[in-house]
Amino acid sequence: TAVPTKGLTLTFDGSYVDPEYKKFVYLGLDRKDDAKFGYVSKFSTHVGVAYKFPETSFGVPAVTVDYSYKSKRVFESLSSDPIGLPNARDDLGGEARKDLSGRFALSEIPFSGKQLTLALFGENLLDEKYRVSTIDFGALGFGTSIYNRPRVLGIEAKMEF
């Protein structure tokens, strides 16, 4: 995080994760070489910019923009039916995901002796569709997937008293 000038905040973070099992026993066999860590993306990054404008007589304007990326991931360590559906874990995994969000707010608005905040916001502005979880029913021959929320646009009003 950096604050190069008053009101401006820049944020960047990233990670690389490559875990390995020392031992993973499944059906009496050590499958550590085949097993993967569920819900773990190898690469993740986030970049954010926030600017809080100087206070005015009608409130304090602020704008925030965030972008994040996560590489593909699996949701289960192994396919639950390694003989009948050996690729189910990878086939039902989550693809890489990109997310852009933004917010414009006007806070500290004087209102009847109280403080009011009004904001416009957007989440998943790129309208990406990706899996956030799956269940592999193995020998039954199918699996289910849960997907992320589609693009969300909204208005927020908040009063502090």
Side-chain angles (χ1 to χ4, degrees):
T1 300
V3 182
T5 185
K6 186 175 180 177
L8 178 64
T9 303
L10 305 174
T11 306
F12 172 79
D13 55 81
S15 67
Y16 172 78
V17 181
D18 192 15
E20 294 179 7
Y21 286 104
K22 291 183 179 181
K23 190 173 191 177
F24 192 102
V25 178
Y26 179 72
L27 299 177
L29 300 172
D30 188 356
R31 303 283 308 275
K32 69 178 182 188
D33 294 333
D34 299 326
K36 295 181 181 178
F37 281 71
Y39 293 89
V40 176
S41 296
K42 190 172 270 198
F43 300 100
S44 297
T45 59
H46 165 259
V47 177
V49 177
Y51 188 75
K52 187 174 183 180
F53 294 86
E55 185 175 350
T56 68
S57 60
F58 55 86
V60 179
V63 63
T64 305
V65 177
D66 287 287
Y67 175 81
S68 65
Y69 168 83
K70 289 184 181 280
S71 62
K72 67 181 182 175
R73 61 190 179 156
V74 298
F75 300 111
E76 299 187 24
S77 297
L78 296 169
S79 293
S80 62
D81 181 5
I83 297 168
L85 297 167
N87 300 320
R89 174 199 57 201
D90 297 322
D91 292 346
L92 292 172
E95 294 299 318
R97 65 188 212 188
K98 300 172 280 284
D99 188 31
L100 177 66
S101 62
R103 175 182 171 88
F104 175 77
L106 185 59
S107 61
E108 301 177 32
I109 303 167
F111 185 79
S112 298
K114 311 289 188 241
Q115 298 250 328
L116 179 66
T117 299
L118 298 174
L120 300 172
F121 66 90
E123 298 171 0
N124 190 16
L125 292 173
L126 301 174
D127 204 22
E128 292 277 317
K129 183 178 179 180
Y130 51 85
R131 290 183 180 110
V132 294
S133 184
T134 61
I135 300 173
D136 172 11
F137 287 101
L140 297 176
F142 69 95
T144 62
S145 294
I146 299 170
Y147 288 85
N148 65 308
R149 289 176 22 171
R151 179 183 297 131
V152 174
L153 301 174
I155 300 172
E156 175 186 308
K158 177 175 83 171
M159 180 172 288
E160 295 179 26
F161 50 93

